[in-house]
Amino acid sequence: MHWGKRYCRSALGLALAGIALTLSGCAMNASPGPAATGEVADKVPGSDWPGYGRGDDQQHFSPLREIGEGNIGQLGLAWSMDLAPGNSVTEPLAVDGVLYFAAGLSVVHAVDAASGELLWSYDPRVGEKGGMNMRTAWGVRGIAWSNGKVYTGTQDGRLIAIDATSGKPVWSVQTLDPGLPAHVNGAPRVFNGKVIIGWASTMGVNRGYVTAYDAETGEKAWRFWTVPGDPSKGFENEAMAMAAKTWAGEWWKYGGGGAVWNSMAYDPETDTVFIGVGSPYPWSHRVRSDGKGDNLFVGAIVALDMTTGEYRWHYQPTPGDTWDFDAVMDIELADLEIDGNVRKVLMQAPKNGFFYVIDRVTGDFISAEPFVKVSWASHVDPKTGRPVEIPGARFDSGKPVRVTPTSIGGHNWMPMAYSPQTGLAYIPVNHFEADYSDPPGKWKPSTDYRADAGVMILGGPDFGTKPASGSLLAWSPVTQKPVWSVKYPTYLNGGVLATAGNLVFQGTIDGWFKAFAADTGKLVWQFDTGAPIIAAPISYRAGGRQYVTLLTGSSMGIAMYAPTMVGTAVQKYAIDPMTQQRRVLTFAIGGDGELAAGPAPVPPPDDPDFREDPDRIPAGAIAFASHCLQCHGDRAIGIGNGPDLRRSYIPLDKQAFDRVVRGGALEAQGMPKYPEFSDAKLEDIRHYIRAQMAQLRDGTSKRPEKSSISY
Ligand code: HEC
């Protein structure tokens, strides 16, 4: 991020494990009095949270300590703001007392952080522009701020700069061809005057890249491809020529994957940006690369020159990935004392279950240990930095193989936090097992925006040796050992915030916003938000007061990642998006606000003529799961970005249903159209939805024992 005159480069060495220092020798810091309150040394003004993860180092750590263990009991709601339905998982930003966040389809909001008053909102009208792209509809997880501008990506592949004062767009570029089966869902970042952005996809042929643009003008500075293209056409650079040697077969026909959909961090000392590269496409190593080679740079962390975009080094946690072990979980930077030496490191807890500490200057492997149960590799060889795989883990015997972690990840994108004060990383962990196998028949890339990546994954909350669960894990990157952990009843809980008040904040999928003592893990505060929490909280100062803010509400991610968990969570943990208002919640010491109740649940409509036709149900269930589940939830139990169809009148009326589903009547509102559906397919889906309505009416709505997520 660009701080102009306010930028203060404090010595990185100050942020050593366990050492809390006041910010000194940093007189040009113009923010109100951080030194006076004894903040931990930090590179951006302590009062602000100006970028995803807060600083270039992405630590998700606030140096503020006005809210601390001693007074956390008085933490209460200062204000709340209701949000429209749709995505509500962004991490907000706070700059000079103004809060910025995106909700729904990249609708950017600016709010007075002290009063909660809306200053402006900007709607890039994604529903009108998205076309086929709308079928994936994740919504963005974060935005960027720099030098008076706010930046957001959009579903339809735009990167837009917005004037932070007026809310008017300044420039817009198309960073992704809107015709590709891909979309932007990660936060852009601004490093050294450039805004850098990737994108996401598992929905069809794609070849990953990141692009950097001049933050002021939007002029393209450089693009780095993460996967080599067709060798007969030549390579863009030496890095691609090198990477091509690690592939086999005709991978370029599938694009190869490698989307940079979440993590980036920046080291200003070396002008290096670190990008986390996603899974290959397809996921199956056998299909895309004849089962041979490491397949660079998929599932790797790549260091690039931020000015030129040139390759510097890479480290690949999962060579030749075949399990969907993205390396896109947040990359966090710190200086750690390891074996008596101060090492400049980057840390990542990717999906594959190992916690990695890498030298961020050289790319050298330092250490990796499993932070969850890992069944695919026994350990990482300290000499080579390569995993030692367990024979059979690649499910190549023709039989399903139980694997943990899974594509849900030992840790997914919900960010961990690192506290330079305790020297610990705080990881939102998932405990989940599944059976992996090859899908029957010859795999072909999907052409209609279905997640179909050539691997069959069969799992569920009660699957495996233990029921799936989640935890918050405090982990020492120096000793590579757990320090404390807190168990949660289910997985996919929210992102984490650590503060210099010896606090760690996290929201849970069952609606609690909790604070723990950062050193011991003792629960010191909790608040029932009445809605699932996925987003990460932030902390900042406005008008001389420290606040903690987070967004609440479910997203497509939940409906999509874990259909069976949705069923469990709906029943056991009372996730009900129809009655759980999505909100922005802001907390402060002495806050005494109360949350109004959400809207009353709408009963399912009467449908006296409906007779369930057992012949129609299987086809309807499959079509619904392939096309509608990611937004309307498993078995139409609304949990994602779309409404609960069991309570809608539209499926009762054949023509109205046709107008919405094939005709695109609600396209501008984010409901994609499916003009290619046959009459029979449309009717199968409508029938299936009406059957789910009937189950809701007579109280027999039940979760199946296990469900198949076939990618
Ligand atoms: C990418 C997300 C997404 C997908 C995929 C999706 N929908 Fe929707 N759908 C929505 C949203 C958002 C709305 C609400 C639009 C609005 O605000 O009016 C909606 C609304 C609807 C409605 C109208 C409900 C009402 O009472 O207003 C129907 C019916 C519907 N969807 C059916 C389907 C079917 C059938 C499929 C699969 C073939 C599907 N949708 C796939 C997002 C999605």
Side-chain angles (χ1 to χ4, degrees), residues 660-694:
V660 168
V661 180
R662 286 199 295 207
L666 298 176
E667 209 178 6
Q669 281 76 30
M671 166 60 205
K673 67 175 171 207
Y674 299 82
E676 77 278 16
F677 281 5
S678 67
D679 290 349
K681 187 166 185 172
L682 192 70
E683 202 47 28
D684 287 343
I685 296 176
R686 193 168 80 92
H687 191 86
Y688 176 74
I689 296 170
R690 289 169 77 191
Q692 305 311 306
M693 277 180 189

Side-chain angles (χ1 to χ4, degrees), residues 21-386:
L21 291 161
T22 42
L23 191 60
S24 58
C26 191
M28 61 201 231
N29 189 320
S31 64
T37 54
E39 290 161 12
V40 171
D42 201 83
K43 282 174 286 168
V44 295
S47 53
D48 287 342
W49 190 286
Y52 191 84
R54 187 166 174 273
D56 294 344
D57 55 24
Q58 305 282 303
Q59 285 177 353
H60 283 90
F61 173 77
S62 167
L64 299 180
R65 54 172 57 174
E66 289 148 31
I67 302 171
E69 242 187 301
N71 61 359
I72 185 98
Q74 295 147 41
L75 191 68
L77 188 65
W79 57 264
S80 75
M81 175 188 264
D82 287 0
L83 296 172
N87 173 55
S88 61
V89 302
T90 53
E91 175 176 313
L93 307 180
V95 181
D96 289 340
V98 180
L99 206 57
Y100 304 94
F101 58 88
L105 291 166
S106 295
V107 180
V108 179
H109 297 65
V111 172
D112 181 306
S115 68
E117 182 202 344
L118 180 69
L119 303 175
W120 54 258
S121 74
Y122 171 71
D123 183 353
R125 308 186 85 81
V126 171
E128 287 163 28
K129 306 207 162 130
M132 281 282 273
N133 253 310
M134 296 311 300
R135 294 187 181 191
T136 59
W138 292 84
V140 292
R141 289 186 296 269
I143 57 176
W145 176 92
S146 172
N147 200 27
K149 288 185 205 56
V150 177
Y151 304 85
T152 188
T154 65
Q155 177 79 20
D156 55 309
R158 284 172 289 162
L159 170 65
I160 304 172
I162 302 158
D163 185 290
T165 311
S166 68
K168 300 272 180 295
V170 181
W171 55 256
S172 171
V173 293
Q174 197 73 41
T175 189
L176 182 67
D177 177 347
L180 285 175
H183 55 275
V184 176
N185 62 4
R189 316 289 205 282
V190 183
F191 300 136
N192 198 9
K194 293 188 181 64
V195 46
I196 173 167
I197 187 161
W199 46 269
S201 170
T202 317
M203 313 285 172
V205 169
N206 67 80
R207 180 184 175 210
Y209 61 78
V210 283
T211 317
Y213 301 88
D214 183 290
E216 294 302 314
T217 65
E219 194 187 333
K220 183 170 147 187
W222 51 261
R223 173 164 290 173
F224 181 82
W225 296 89
T226 60
V227 167
D230 181 351
S232 72
K233 298 196 174 134
F235 298 113
E236 287 85 0
N237 50 41
E238 280 170 29
M240 286 298 100
M242 171 184 83
K245 297 195 179 104
T246 67
W247 290 77
E250 297 184 312
W251 74 88
W252 60 91
K253 293 192 171 161
Y254 310 126
V260 182
W261 59 264
N262 188 45
S263 59
M264 296 176 203
Y266 177 66
D267 186 346
E269 287 196 349
T270 54
D271 192 31
T272 308
V273 60
F274 310 96
I275 59 168
V277 183
S279 304
Y281 185 80
W283 291 346
S284 168
H285 195 219
R286 283 189 282 293
V287 174
R288 74 174 181 275
S289 188
D290 290 344
K292 294 184 197 122
D294 289 354
N295 297 175
L296 294 173
F297 296 101
V298 296
I301 296 164
V302 183
L304 303 172
D305 182 311
M306 188 61 216
T307 300
T308 63
E310 268 164 49
Y311 165 87
R312 287 198 165 145
W313 57 258
H314 74 273
Y315 176 78
Q316 191 182 34
T318 317
D321 179 24
T322 199
W323 305 275
D324 182 34
F325 286 160
D326 300 84
V328 304
M329 287 61 241
D330 39 304
I331 295 170
E332 305 201 358
L333 312 184
D335 291 10
L336 303 180
E337 192 174 327
I338 297 173
D339 296 335
N341 300 313
V342 175
R343 302 287 298 263
K344 295 174 193 291
V345 310
L346 68 74
M347 299 172 281
Q348 192 189 49
K351 278 188 185 174
N352 79 11
F354 287 93
F355 189 99
Y356 293 86
V357 179
I358 306 293
D359 185 311
R360 71 172 179 268
V361 181
T362 60
D364 289 342
F365 174 84
I366 296 175
S367 62
E369 291 295 336
F371 63 91
V372 284
K373 184 177 161 198
V374 171
S375 75
W376 67 278
S378 60
H379 63 287
V380 180
D381 183 331
K383 287 208 191 67
T384 60
R386 292 180 69 90

Side-chain angles (χ1 to χ4, degrees), residues 481-615:
K481 287 199 168 72
V483 174
W484 55 259
S485 82
V486 175
K487 270 276 200 192
Y488 292 132
T490 189
Y491 50 100
L492 291 174
N493 296 291
V496 183
L497 159 72
T499 75
N502 191 37
L503 295 171
V504 174
F505 289 89
Q506 186 187 22
T508 63
I509 196 71
D510 55 338
W512 289 98
F513 187 35
K514 294 179 186 247
F516 303 91
D519 52 356
T520 62
K522 185 177 161 224
L523 178 70
V524 290
W525 178 84
Q526 60 181 347
F527 182 93
D528 185 359
T529 72
I533 302 170
I534 299 161
I538 66 165
S539 191
Y540 55 94
R541 199 189 282 119
R545 198 173 181 203
Q546 184 184 353
Y547 292 95
V548 175
T549 292
L550 95 163
L551 269 61
T552 63
S554 180
S555 86
M556 169 184 174
I558 293 305
M560 170 97 179
Y561 276 128
T564 47
M565 186 271 285
V566 172
T568 314
V570 168
Q571 283 157 33
K572 260 198 197 151
Y573 309 114
I575 295 179
D576 175 8
M578 296 301 286
T579 55
Q580 291 166 345
Q581 177 67 49
R582 291 163 159 85
R583 290 184 170 112
V584 184
L585 303 182
T586 291
F587 298 87
I589 295 299
D592 58 2
E594 278 177 26
L595 279 180
V602 181
D606 284 336
D607 190 5
D609 302 334
F610 180 69
R611 300 283 170 276
E612 191 170 311
D613 175 354
D615 290 340

